[in-house]
Amino acid sequence: MSLFLVNRYLGEEEDGSVSKETLSKALLAKLQKKAKEKQKRHSAKQREPLHEHPAEQVDAQKKRKADVDGGLEPQQHKKRHSETVASCSVEPVEQTNIQHQEEIQSDISPESTTDTLPGFTLIGGFESKPVPKVKRSTITRSATGLFTYPHTAFVSQVDRVLPQWLAEPHVIHTDIKNNLISISDVPGLCAQLLKNLHSNGIQHFFPVQAEVIPAILESAQQGLLIGRGGYKPRDICVSAPTGSGKTLSFVIPIIQVLMDRVVCEVRALAVLPTKELAQQVHRVFASYAEGTTLKVVMLAGQKSFAAEQASLSEHRWNMRRSLADIVVATPGRLIDHMTKNSGLCLEHLRFLVIDEADRMIDSMHQSWLSQVMGAVYRSRAEPGSVFRRTEAACITSASLSPPQTPLQKLLFSATLTQNPEKLQQLGLHQPRLFSSTYGHADSAAASPTHGHDRFNFPQGLTEYYVPCTMSSKPLLLLHFILRMKLHPVLCFTNSRETAHRLHLLLQLFGGVQAAEFSSQLSPGDRKKTLKEFEQGKIQLLISTDAVARGIDISGVKCVVNYDAPQYIRTYIHRVGRTARAGKTGLAFTFLLRVQEKNFLQMVVKAGSPGIQKQVVKPENLRSMEGQYEKALQKLADVIKEERAS
Ligand SMILES: Nc1ncnc2c1ncn2[C@@H]1O[C@H](COP(=O)(O)OP(=O)(O)OP(=O)(O)O)[C@@H](O)[C@H]1O
């Protein structure tokens, strides 16, 4: 006896008087009509912009994901996913990931699960309304014949218009090699800094540095404690390709300006999204502060909280004395120190550097910025005192009368958003934008009205995509390393599991010095692995996106996207780990057939100068297949053992 009886629904008029054929035809017509309606609604939905940044898609994705998961709670879903993944070898892992990714990305529209079913009442009826996009600034001719620009988020009757500072940036050359400027040609740098630059092997500034360093120095021309002519300096936003040298463009002027300080107080704070990046920027600050009295402190959880606290300040004769001029921090650890009153005083802060700014905007929900601003303007001085600080507002003669230490925000990113609504969250004061994005020949198409931000790619980068199948991916990677001798290779996967299993598989295959890198490693192991990779002891580093952003590893010849990245920003940062500082580099992205169309569209729309097809013939892989099969079999045992232990 069967437990369930499944009856096929053949229409409402099944009374025996109509032939089965007629019924089937009627049913088919009905289904076709339904499918057409669904397609119409789906294509209306697709007109909304695709491939935006994760934060913009989070809500929509969550909803779709819930639909896909059949309403499972995230925890339940995770369990189900990892169980599926854990039970198979590398290929099924990938299969699951890709499927999952494709499910989320592709054609699952809310309609597929929210079709009105008879007998159910739909509550809510919340429809997502498209957010009106702003347009680039239009230049209008005034009555006097002069050209005028709308200053801030001007709203015309027809369209909203992009603010002038975003629409008309100071353009930075992307061609590093042909636009080097001798360090002695940039005025305002003291002998000690020039000496430090020389000892770090730097004779010339890159274009971004040649533009941004003088701009920051100019804003401090009247000294550290007041803005030029009593005005607060304008905030600075920099959008320049990966590896173009953005770090030095804030480190050098900050050191130069703070060098003359008399009392030690925290006057510069640089906030970075990850420990590794904070460490890297801390190293650069410390190296250029050599020979000065400036003290650089890092708050990123590398040391214990107490040790970090001790490096910030000390108490003598009941007085707090700062031990730090420059603090480099991750947002989480920074908030920890501020909420636990660990002696971090930001009342004298002059520079707030937000590196990887687009990513930091996404972490605004942690409210780190509002807490920093609160601490900066929490002045204990009497009203009217010369030390009083107030947030930037309308300029009046009264507001200018007490001289104030201005706070200047400096934003840096290779993928800075051009979305004014997002940038607004940073509370920028009369910002100036330095950007290489606009230098693109097809700049008209860069209009955000197209729903896509466009970015500049490093000039020395050559991009390829490699058509593949799930099972050929590991062999292709081996082919690049063993046959084409393309090492050191930095290889990105979309999950920790894939990185781990691919690493195990390559170890079992033999012949390649490989290592894995993910957030699962201890901070010590992560540091050691990166060092060994940089020293050339590791040929292949298999990593999650933990090293996709900002990390500067010299000598990476080739980046491989073993799993295609879902978002354009992820792609730009991943491939930007090679072709740095004006050098050349290669980037290969393995693409399954189903991924090709969407991925290539995404990359071209983002402004890639061209991604070429690289076909690897199956016969080139054949000689490795036997050894690969054996390694795959052993992998199953290793995974079983790992699960058991
Ligand atoms: N003027 C210069 N001369 C020679 N090398 C330089 C110069 N400026 C920077 N570099 C080197 O270029 C590399 C990239 O610099 P940096 O890490 O600042 O790039 P970035 O623009 O911040 O990249 P990303 O967007 O990936 O974070 C570093 O190794 C740095 O030492």
Side-chain angles (χ1 to χ4, degrees):
M1 194 182 73
S2 57
L3 274 178
F4 302 102
L5 179 66
V6 181
N7 276 329
R8 196 174 291 275
Y9 176 68
L10 289 175
E12 284 149 14
E13 298 166 354
E14 199 179 9
D15 60 2
S17 61
V18 190
S19 77
K20 273 198 173 158
E21 203 185 330
T22 323
L23 271 177
S24 323
K25 273 186 186 164
L27 183 59
L28 185 66
K30 208 170 174 181
L31 286 173
Q32 279 171 340
K33 196 177 155 204
K34 264 196 171 181
K36 261 190 195 163
E37 277 169 12
K38 209 179 238 182
Q39 212 172 7
K40 259 192 207 165
R41 280 182 306 214
H42 183 57
S43 49
K45 270 260 146 56
Q46 276 192 333
R47 264 174 247 133
E48 289 169 24
L50 286 169
H51 304 302
E52 284 173 345
H53 199 248
E56 289 162 30
Q57 291 198 334
V58 156
D59 290 342
Q61 268 195 17
K62 264 188 201 159
K63 186 180 179 329
R64 284 181 217 168
K65 203 155 171 264
D67 292 341
V68 171
D69 296 340
L72 285 181
E73 288 296 311
Q75 218 40 44
Q76 286 172 289
H77 170 257
K78 217 169 159 188
K79 200 170 161 224
R80 194 177 72 176
H81 179 73
S82 62
E83 274 169 9
T84 324
V85 164
S87 61
C88 20
S89 67
V90 166
E91 291 169 52
V93 171
E94 283 306 299
Q95 191 72 50
T96 321
N97 282 335
I98 296 291
Q99 271 175 2
H100 184 65
Q101 199 178 313
E102 282 163 11
E103 280 164 358
I104 293 172
Q105 265 192 337
S106 65
D107 55 359
I108 293 156
S109 62
E111 292 94 316
S112 57
T113 49
T114 54
D115 265 352
T116 330
L117 298 171
F120 288 90
T121 310
L122 278 185
I123 52 168
F126 309 110
E127 284 172 11
S128 60
K129 289 183 190 140
V131 180
K133 289 280 169 193
V134 287
K135 284 190 171 173
R136 284 199 178 278
S137 171
T138 43
I139 306 171
T140 53
R141 201 181 278 270
S142 73
T144 55
L146 293 171
F147 289 106
T148 57
Y149 301 89
H151 179 61
T152 50
F154 172 78
V155 182
S156 79
Q157 280 184 335
V158 188
D159 291 304
R160 293 197 299 150
V161 170
L162 204 64
Q164 183 210 343
W165 73 272
L166 270 178
E168 308 282 327
H170 299 253
V171 177
I172 299 169
H173 288 289
T174 45
D175 181 359
I176 294 180
K177 276 188 186 161
N178 294 316
N179 292 286
L180 294 171
I181 306 282
S182 168
I183 54 171
S184 52
D185 288 349
V186 172
L189 298 181
C190 71
Q192 180 61 48
L193 259 183
L194 291 174
K195 190 176 155 208
N196 289 354
L197 281 163
H198 276 297
S199 56
N200 279 295
I202 291 183
Q203 321 287 339
H204 295 94
F205 280 131
F206 289 168
V208 66
Q209 296 157 356
E211 292 283 342
V212 177
I213 294 173
I216 300 176
L217 290 178
E218 188 198 2
S219 66
Q221 248 176 7
Q222 311 279 304
L224 157 72
L225 297 174
I226 43 166
R228 195 177 177 194
Y231 290 98
K232 291 191 178 182
R234 297 174 68 177
D235 291 336
I236 286 178
C237 302
V238 180
S239 176
T242 49
S244 60
K246 294 184 288 294
T247 314
L248 278 193
S249 61
F250 62 82
V251 167
I252 297 293
I254 287 178
I255 300 230
Q256 177 62 60
V257 172
L258 300 190
M259 209 180 246
D260 297 331
R261 64 99 174 103
V262 179
V263 180
C264 177
E265 288 291 355
V266 177
R267 309 212 191 242
L269 169 65
V271 189
L272 294 112
T274 64
K275 254 182 212 178
E276 278 74 24
L277 280 179
Q279 253 178 318
Q280 189 174 291
V281 169
H282 175 258
R283 254 199 319 270
V284 180
F285 263 121
S287 127
Y288 286 92
E290 251 173 50
T292 73
T293 52
L294 294 176
K295 295 180 186 101
V296 189
V297 165
M298 181 169 64
L299 306 178
Q302 290 295 115
K303 292 189 205 158
S304 70
F305 188 85
E308 286 182 349
Q309 185 172 12
S311 64
L312 280 173
S313 60
E314 62 176 8
H315 278 84
R316 264 199 211 166
W317 304 297
N318 242 354
M319 295 264 288
R320 184 196 68 86
R321 200 169 76 91
S322 175
L323 298 175
D325 294 284
I326 298 166
V327 170
V328 182
T330 51
R333 199 60 165 189
L334 178 68
I335 291 179
D336 261 8
H337 279 277
M338 285 181 357
T339 49
K340 289 180 187 157
N341 251 337
S342 77
L344 173 67
C345 171
L346 297 178
E347 288 173 18
H348 303 266
L349 197 69
R350 171 65 178 77
F351 295 106
L352 173 59
V353 180
I354 307 178
D355 203 0
E356 303 296 341
D358 59 310
R359 164 93 183 266
M360 297 304 291
I361 293 174
D362 291 339
S363 66
M364 291 290 271
H365 57 270
Q366 292 178 356
S367 74
W368 65 269
L369 183 60
S370 55
Q371 296 207 35
V372 168
M373 297 309 281
V376 169
Y377 294 108
R378 192 197 304 138
S379 179
R380 275 165 299 195
E382 295 296 311
S385 133
V386 285
F387 298 114
R388 193 169 62 100
R389 297 184 87 179
T390 51
E391 275 197 65
C394 296
I395 297 167
T396 60
S397 52
S399 77
L400 289 175
S401 55
Q404 292 192 24
T405 302
L407 173 70
Q408 191 175 22
K409 291 182 193 135
L410 312 174
L411 269 66
F412 294 83
S413 176
T415 50
L416 192 71
T417 177
Q418 291 190 6
N419 182 336
E421 284 83 9
K422 279 192 159 196
L423 289 164
Q424 204 172 356
Q425 299 175 55
L426 298 168
L428 299 175
H429 173 66
Q430 299 185 349
R432 287 173 81 180
L433 174 64
F434 293 82
S435 171
S436 50
T437 313
Y438 225 42
H440 202 281
D442 187 18
S443 55
S447 163
T449 49
H450 288 234
H452 294 272
D453 282 338
R454 286 172 71 94
F455 309 102
N456 262 44
F457 289 64
Q459 282 227 325
L461 178 72
T462 313
E463 299 161 83
Y464 295 98
Y465 72 95
V466 186
C468 67
T469 60
M470 290 309 304
S471 55
S472 66
K473 281 186 179 190
L475 286 170
L476 283 170
L477 189 59
L478 286 164
H479 172 76
F480 284 137
I481 297 167
L482 298 176
R483 298 273 159 75
M484 292 171 72
K485 310 276 178 217
L486 284 178
H487 45 82
V489 173
L490 183 54
C491 171
F492 288 102
T493 63
N494 286 350
S495 72
R496 282 191 309 223
E497 285 101 322
T498 310
H500 180 57
R501 282 161 194 225
L502 182 60
H503 177 223
L504 289 178
L505 180 69
L506 296 184
Q507 273 183 328
L508 294 168
F509 185 93
V512 181
Q513 278 108 42
E516 67 177 285
F517 187 98
S518 74
S519 55
Q520 252 171 353
L521 298 186
S522 70
D525 284 343
R526 288 165 73 153
K527 199 172 166 184
K528 186 170 160 257
T529 307
L530 285 183
K531 199 169 175 191
E532 286 182 355
F533 184 53
E534 193 150 20
Q535 289 168 345
K537 291 181 188 164
I538 295 168
Q539 290 177 313
L540 168 69
L541 186 63
I542 305 163
S543 174
T544 57
D545 284 323
V547 291
R549 258 186 194 262
I551 294 289
D552 184 57
I553 310 167
S554 67
V556 176
K557 263 196 202 162
C558 175
V559 167
V560 170
N561 288 313
Y562 186 86
D563 292 332
Q566 264 182 288
Y567 304 107
I568 190 61
R569 282 162 206 258
T570 314
Y571 177 74
I572 289 174
H573 288 283
R574 280 184 182 183
V575 298
R577 295 315 100 208
T578 185
R580 296 175 72 74
K583 295 192 189 119
T584 54
L586 302 170
F588 294 91
T589 303
F590 293 174
L591 289 182
L592 301 172
R593 248 177 94 95
V594 287
Q595 295 175 316
E596 273 184 34
K597 192 173 157 228
N598 280 352
F599 180 81
L600 297 177
Q601 262 178 15
M602 172 175 91
V603 172
V604 170
K605 277 184 183 162
S608 160
I611 177 163
Q612 303 160 43
K613 189 171 182 174
Q614 172 78 39
V615 179
V616 180
K617 289 182 187 152
E619 49 266 34
N620 290 338
L621 309 178
R622 210 150 284 148
S623 61
M624 294 186 288
E625 277 172 6
Q627 202 176 336
Y628 170 62
E629 289 298 330
K630 280 183 204 155
L632 211 54
Q633 277 164 14
K634 283 187 209 157
L635 179 69
D637 298 333
V638 174
I639 288 170
K640 258 186 217 158
E641 274 170 33
E642 271 193 356
R643 292 183 76 194
S645 63

